[in-house]
Each structure stands twice: as structure tokens, then as C-alpha cells.
Amino acid sequence: MNTESNGGPESAEGDAGPAEQPLGSRAPHFIKRSRPLHLSWQVGVFLVGLAVVVGGVIMLPLPGPGWVVIFAGMAIWATEFVWAQLVLRWAKRKVTEAAQKALDPKVRRRNIILIGIGLAIVVALLAVYVWKFGFAMPWSVGE
């Protein structure tokens, strides 16, 4: 079939979105030719990606961009492994859907109303506290 000769199937409808890259290894051609070299390449990519993902997981409870580093490790794995490419495509799709949903006027209106109600509750609670105890701090109320 000619649809796969240039790297993957093309859409006949002419999508407005960017074409997704075909799944599979992105190793250089000379590495893919030799099975032992390609296997060594895959092991190296896996270990580097694993180190980056573990670093990201360590950064989750510590200061640092944990999720960004985890997705960077996934991107490293995606250069070689189809499963990582599928996970990244799924994550990109979900982020895009969430961004589109957040821009929906109904959702924005609902979120603004909920934030307003939450702020009103916080202000009311603070007003009751100040009315009852004055400007005393909570740890010195009993004194």
C-alpha cells in the first residue's frame, strides 16, 4: 500500500490537527539494522528514561517539577517503545480535552460561581471569628 510508504497512513479528510508520527522505534537506521545493537540501544533508552522517571517521582513530595520530569522520562521512553508513545498520546489527548472543557463558557461560569460561593463562606467564617474573638490569633484565644 502506498499510504504507509511515507511514514504512516494519511487522512483523506485533511485534518486540521497535526499528523501524529507513526508508532515504533526512532533509533537511527544503522542501529536498527543490527539486532544486538538495537537491543543495546533499547536497554540504554530504557535505563535513561527510568532514571528520569525515578527522579521525577522523587521530586513529587520534594520541591521541584516532579510531573514535568516524569513526562520527560516518558518522552524519552517514547522514542523507542510503542507503549510509552500510546501513553503520551493518551495524556496529550486528555490535557487537550481538559483545556477545551475549561474554556467552555458554561464550565467557566460554574467555576466562577463556585469560587464566589467559597469566598463568601470564608469571609463569613472570618467575620464570625473576628466578631466572637476579636483580632486574637487562634493560639492565644484561651488566654
Side-chain angles (χ1 to χ4, degrees), residues 9-84:
E10 295 180 359
S11 174
E13 294 111 30
D15 295 353
E20 291 184 348
Q21 291 184 344
L23 297 173
S25 174
R26 292 185 188 31
H29 184 64
F30 73 92
I31 290 177
K32 285 193 225 178
R33 277 191 303 203
S34 169
R35 179 75 178 139
L37 188 57
H38 192 221
L39 189 59
S40 301
W41 177 269
Q42 285 182 323
V43 168
V45 166
F46 181 79
L47 291 176
V48 170
L50 182 65
V52 173
V53 168
V54 167
V57 169
I58 290 171
M59 282 187 220
L60 285 175
L62 301 174
W67 284 109
V68 173
V69 174
I70 289 172
F71 282 113
M74 290 296 295
I76 291 170
W77 279 338
T79 63
E80 198 58 35
F81 303 107
V82 172
W83 61 268

Side-chain angles (χ1 to χ4, degrees), residues 100-114:
Q100 290 300 320
K101 189 181 254 188
L103 295 176
D104 180 25
K106 290 179 183 178
V107 173
R108 289 185 69 200
R109 191 176 314 118
R110 183 200 66 202
N111 289 345
I112 289 171
I113 289 170
L114 289 174

